[in-house]
Amino acid sequence: MSGEPTDLHGAPLPPPPAWWVFRDDGARHSPADPLPPLPPAPPWRRFRQTTDSPPRDIPVPADSLDVERKLGACVPGTLDRTVVDLINAAIQLRRPLLVTGQPGTGKSSLAHQIAAELGLGKVLWWPVVSRTTLRDGLYDYDAIGRVQDAPAGPGSGGSRGPLPDIGRYLTLGPLGTALLPWKRPRVLLIDELDKSDVDLPNDLLHIFEEGEFRIRELERLGQSRREASVGTADHGAPVVVRDGRVRCAEFPVVVITSNGERAFSPAFRRRCLEVELAPPDEHRLAAMIESHFGPELDPDTRDLVRSFLEQRGDGAVAADQLLNTVHLVTNRAAHADEASWAQLRAALWRSLATDSAP
């Protein structure tokens, strides 16, 4: 059975169901690789293009360091089968995936796993805070910079000449870039949506349904300027937007994370598939450590994992606190005197449940 993929317990993985696209097999692919086509979207989730321009190729990331930093080495079988089922259902139905769970359960990493295995390029990351608006995700227009860059007019009256090209001052955000007409869907990570203003989740509903948005500053140009080259969240070559309208060819793979700090409306939840990630057990924690520090954990590290699980309880400590501790162990911090190491480990494993706001 040499070479067969195994789960975290070392048992051979069962053959994946035929309908699965994402298999949690630890594979890493580039958009430039020969990739099998994704299954077609349901008829009600297909978006007809309004221009004659062909869909765009997903840009190849400049390097793989970001994926390696997020995921570590390739480790198959890290997710529960129910979670993989829901991920595949979201991809097939072209619906957002709403991922909840305690901090450190791997919610954000899920987007990077999907993008890496399916060869969907760099994850478009949209971190959400309390002041985030829908416009922040769609595009940014630097109107002040455009006026300041206008050449001075004749005379000394302070007047200015014609404004520079508007496209130089427009940049699509992560959501706006994901909705460009790509040949294959992009992966969009909307991180910690539960921290948003109360209106943002419902503001997203129209975008989720229609797969398009409009740039008002370009629409106002009318027939005088039907095309404009604008920047994107990929920070690469500009893209052409026609008539101020951006519409997807393939609805993106949208992963929305939430720490459960607030509830979402029924209308919002109806448009998503919901999955809850349980805190990682001993085998998943061991796999996380192996992916970053190499296989064959030594006995000290395994004892550290068991001690961590005993202290974690109902989520008082997160997995990244364990990874920080293992890194110090590999640097021989645990070989100091026992009292100092116990004190340092207690500081690293400070309970999140008892922290108070400053």
Side-chain angles (χ1 to χ4, degrees):
M1 296 194 302
S2 176
E4 289 186 8
T6 60
D7 63 15
L8 301 181
H9 304 267
L13 288 171
W19 72 279
W20 276 10
V21 178
F22 172 78
R23 302 185 174 195
D24 187 29
D25 58 9
R28 305 280 171 84
H29 294 291
S30 164
D33 294 341
L35 300 167
L38 295 178
W44 56 90
R45 297 295 291 163
R46 297 173 189 170
F47 301 94
R48 183 176 60 86
Q49 291 302 292
T50 57
T51 68
D52 297 331
S53 302
R56 303 175 57 85
D57 290 315
I58 294 178
V60 177
D63 57 57
S64 60
L65 291 180
D66 190 53
V67 175
E68 293 174 3
R69 181 172 64 88
K70 298 284 186 183
L71 302 179
C74 303
V75 178
T78 60
L79 300 170
D80 293 336
R81 184 186 178 94
T82 302
V83 173
V84 181
D85 275 340
L86 286 167
I87 292 172
N88 280 284
I91 294 172
Q92 300 252 5
L93 297 172
R94 306 303 199 268
R95 286 293 184 185
L97 192 68
L98 177 58
V99 186
T100 58
Q102 296 170 354
T105 52
K107 300 185 296 295
S108 300
S109 297
L110 208 58
H112 295 273
Q113 284 181 262
I114 296 169
E117 182 177 323
L118 300 184
L120 300 180
K122 176 185 174 183
V123 172
L124 297 164
W125 180 47
W126 184 17
V128 174
V129 297
S130 60
R131 298 178 300 278
T132 301
T133 66
L134 179 62
R135 168 75 176 264
D136 295 327
L138 293 176
Y139 69 94
D140 175 69
Y141 174 47
D142 185 8
I144 295 176
R146 188 183 182 208
V147 172
Q148 290 176 337
D149 289 348
S156 57
S159 62
R160 292 187 176 272
L163 293 173
D165 178 62
I166 189 172
R168 291 168 49 193
Y169 303 88
L170 280 165
T171 304
L172 300 183
L175 175 57
T177 301
L179 292 172
L180 285 168
W182 303 104
K183 288 182 180 179
R184 292 167 66 87
R186 297 296 300 270
V187 177
L188 170 68
L189 172 59
I190 305 178
D191 217 358
E192 300 190 339
L193 185 61
D194 53 327
K195 287 183 168 55
S196 73
D197 177 84
V198 67
D199 293 324
L200 179 58
N202 289 333
D203 290 343
L204 287 165
L205 295 182
H206 176 78
I207 301 294
F208 287 170
E209 284 301 310
E210 302 303 325
E212 70 174 22
F213 69 97
R214 296 178 182 274
I215 301 175
R216 301 302 178 189
E217 291 81 359
L218 295 182
E219 283 191 311
R220 294 190 190 105
L221 299 178
Q223 296 296 322
S224 63
R225 178 74 182 278
R226 301 199 63 184
E227 292 185 348
S229 294
V230 304
T232 73
D234 287 317
H235 307 293
V239 298
V240 175
V241 174
R242 184 175 177 82
D243 296 327
R245 184 184 188 187
V246 175
R247 188 176 200 183
C248 66
E250 290 283 350
F251 190 79
V253 177
V254 181
V255 177
I256 304 169
T257 70
S258 168
N259 291 321
E261 295 182 6
R262 58 174 288 191
F264 297 108
S265 70
F268 180 83
R269 294 175 60 196
R270 180 172 63 83
R271 289 165 171 83
C272 302
L273 272 71
E274 300 181 57
V275 58
E276 182 172 2
L277 291 185
D281 60 13
E282 180 177 345
H283 295 284
R284 283 185 62 197
L285 287 171
M288 291 170 61
I289 295 171
E290 289 176 8
S291 69
H292 289 283
F293 296 97
E296 303 301 328
L297 303 187
D298 60 62
D300 289 342
T301 303
R302 292 196 178 277
D303 288 342
L304 196 65
V305 171
R306 295 187 185 99
S307 299
F308 175 84
L309 289 170
E310 291 172 2
Q311 180 169 333
R312 182 175 67 181
D314 58 354
V317 287
D320 59 342
Q321 292 171 276
L322 174 61
L323 292 177
N324 290 336
T325 311
V326 173
H327 180 71
L328 291 181
V329 168
T330 62
N331 288 338
R332 304 181 64 82
H335 291 262
D337 66 273
E338 188 173 339
S340 297
W341 170 241
Q343 199 170 28
L344 177 58
R345 194 178 75 175
L348 292 168
W349 290 1
R350 182 185 62 191
S351 173
L352 305 177
T354 58
D355 280 353
S356 58

